[in-house]
Amino acid sequence: MIDPNYRLRSAENLIRTGRTNEGLGVIRDIHKKDPRNEMALVSLSTYYESIGDFSSAVQYREKIVVLNPWNAKNLLLLGKD
C-alpha cells in the first residue's frame, strides 16, 4: 500500500474497529513522511477531538491553517477546540 490515501483510509478503519494504536501509528507515519498531507492532519485532529485531547487537536489544526489558510471548516473547528 504505497498510496497514502489508501493507507490513511485503512488506518481510520483500524481506529474505528478498536485497533487505535495501530491506526494512529500509520497516520503518524504518513504525517512524518509527508508533513504537508492535509488529510493526515485532519484525521489526527479529529481523533484527538474525539477523545477530548483538545490541546493536541489544536496543534494539528494550526498546522492545517499554515497549509490552507482559507479552509473555513478547519478555522471553525479550531475555534471550537
Side-chain angles (χ1 to χ4, degrees), residues 1-72:
M1 292 185 45
I2 295 173
D3 185 351
N5 292 324
Y6 291 134
R7 291 184 68 214
L8 186 60
R9 282 242 164 113
S10 297
E12 290 170 346
N13 287 331
L14 285 170
I15 292 171
R16 279 190 210 104
T17 59
R19 296 171 69 180
T20 306
N21 291 335
E22 292 174 65
L24 278 177
V26 172
I27 297 172
R28 286 182 184 130
D29 183 54
I30 293 168
H31 175 60
K32 183 179 176 182
K33 289 180 181 176
D34 182 12
R36 298 184 56 84
N37 187 321
E38 193 173 336
M39 294 309 298
L41 291 169
V42 168
S43 293
L44 287 167
S45 60
T46 302
Y47 169 73
Y48 285 111
E49 289 165 349
S50 73
I51 64 168
D53 184 355
F54 296 106
S55 63
S56 295
V58 166
Q59 290 175 359
Y60 288 113
R61 294 227 174 260
E62 287 175 341
K63 290 180 181 184
I64 296 170
V65 170
V66 171
L67 295 175
N68 186 358
W70 303 110
N71 186 336

Side-chain angles (χ1 to χ4, degrees), residues 49 61 65 70-81:
E49 289 165 349
R61 294 227 174 260
V65 170
W70 303 110
N71 186 336
K73 181 178 179 180
N74 182 62
L75 293 172
L76 176 66
L77 292 170
L78 179 59
K80 286 183 178 180
D81 290 345

